[in-house]
Amino acid sequence: MTADTPQHGLFLVLEGVEGAGKTTQAELLRHRFRVTEVAHTVSREPGGTRLGEGIRELLLERGELDIPIESELLLMLGARAAFIQQVVRPALERGEVVLSDRFELSTFAYQGFGRGIDLNEVRRLNRFSTGGIRPDLTLILDVPVGHGLARQRGAGKEQDRFEGGGDVFLERVREGYRTLSQEDERVLLLDGSLPSEVVHEEIVSLLAGRFPGRFPETFSDASG
Ligand code: Z5A
């Protein structure tokens, strides 16, 4: 949120290493928002806009491209500027709940802790791309790296550039997330290795408790 932009909606983010269950939880929440008539926008990063989906394809599917880590960072942030301007800010101004599958903590964890780019520089450039809009709450689904990768293999997902970085890289990313969760009260670490339905119910009761009056009573009662 910037000083000159009233933010009426609620901005929520799911984070975590590969296979942590972000997409699964985003879909469960999308369903819950729909059945309880909570106005919402669910999206993802990189992506969510035409530009962002184009950048996503470049970064994730064009393995033949040699992308320096500085370019990787700037591409993520280029996608983010469009995501904020075209998706997040308008939805917040409409008063909706915005739920994003990944956002700025991914950049801090992957490009900062993982790739080793100076974290202060990453944060500075990130602020430029977001215009200062920040999530009200970020939930990190924490799972051991091997556990998440095994889930993805089980789902038949092919390796992308980031998984190709190897276990050491992904361990740094996971540790990065854990460190970041200790620095900001708007960032919480959840156990993502529990069954999906259990994680979902924990998220729902956490949201209802953290933002009283923001969700209808049916939100915590609706059976998934
Ligand atoms: N990236 C970056 O470097 N910097 C940035 O700033 C941003 C991103 C924004 C985006 O890919 C890549 O971009 C990402 C970081 C980088 N790196 N990679 N790779 P992505 O977000 O599309 O990729 P992902 O994290 O690999 O997403 P994913 O495969 O979709 O994982 P997920 O969403 O966390 O998991 P899922 O799809 O919900 O579940 C995976 C499987 O596990 C599936 O079969 C589920 O049914 C199963 N699952 C899910 N939850 C459970 C539980 N609780 N128990 C058992 N099984 C489960």
Side-chain angles (χ1 to χ4, degrees):
M1 174 169 67
T2 56
D4 60 343
T5 311
Q7 187 174 346
H8 301 296
L10 191 65
F11 186 13
L12 308 173
V13 176
L14 294 167
E15 290 278 2
V17 295
E18 286 70 353
K22 302 174 295 298
T23 310
T24 303
Q25 294 303 323
E27 285 310 312
L28 289 169
L29 280 170
R30 187 204 296 273
H31 178 72
R32 175 87 54 152
F33 292 146
R34 198 166 49 230
V35 299
T36 59
E37 299 182 347
V38 174
H40 62 279
T41 292
V42 176
S43 195
R44 66 173 181 182
E45 277 213 302
T49 65
R50 286 189 68 189
L51 176 67
E53 292 297 330
I55 290 176
R56 182 184 181 89
E57 200 227 318
L58 267 181
L59 284 168
L60 298 185
E61 286 163 38
R62 300 282 302 279
E64 80 282 10
L65 295 177
D66 181 8
I67 304 181
I69 58 174
E70 294 81 1
S71 305
E72 180 183 278
L73 169 66
L74 293 170
L75 284 165
M76 292 292 180
L77 298 182
R80 180 157 306 145
F83 183 60
I84 285 284
Q85 290 173 33
Q86 297 166 15
V87 177
V88 177
R89 186 187 288 262
L92 291 177
E93 287 176 353
R94 290 194 300 271
E96 294 179 8
V97 174
V98 178
L99 175 66
S100 183
D101 184 342
R102 295 193 182 277
F103 188 62
E104 62 185 15
L105 251 62
S106 285
T107 322
F108 304 158
Y110 283 78
Q111 280 66 51
F113 287 89
R115 300 291 195 217
I117 303 177
D118 178 71
L119 199 53
N120 289 329
E121 191 64 357
V122 175
R123 287 185 196 273
R124 190 181 69 79
L125 293 166
N126 178 64
R127 260 194 308 277
F128 177 69
S129 78
T130 63
I133 288 189
R134 299 210 49 221
D136 295 289
L137 186 64
T138 299
L139 300 172
I140 301 172
L141 306 179
D142 183 52
V143 297
V145 167
H147 194 136
L149 291 177
R151 280 181 184 172
Q152 285 189 317
R153 275 195 299 277
K157 192 182 169 205
E158 283 183 25
Q159 251 197 6
D160 61 32
R161 300 179 64 247
F162 296 91
E163 286 130 24
D167 286 5
V168 176
F169 168 73
L170 293 176
E171 290 294 352
R172 283 202 299 271
V173 172
R174 183 186 184 206
E175 276 315 304
Y177 273 128
R178 294 170 73 92
T179 302
L180 291 163
S181 74
Q182 288 158 15
E183 291 176 353
D184 188 340
E185 61 178 18
R186 285 176 294 180
V187 178
L188 299 179
L189 197 75
L190 304 183
D191 184 353
S193 59
L194 298 169
S196 310
E197 298 70 26
V198 175
V199 178
H200 176 61
E201 288 307 326
E202 190 180 344
I203 292 176
V204 166
S205 68
L206 210 150
L207 292 180
R210 184 118 174 169
F211 303 106
R214 182 63 185 78
F215 296 97
E217 274 179 27
T218 49
F219 184 70
S220 333
D221 303 336
S223 55

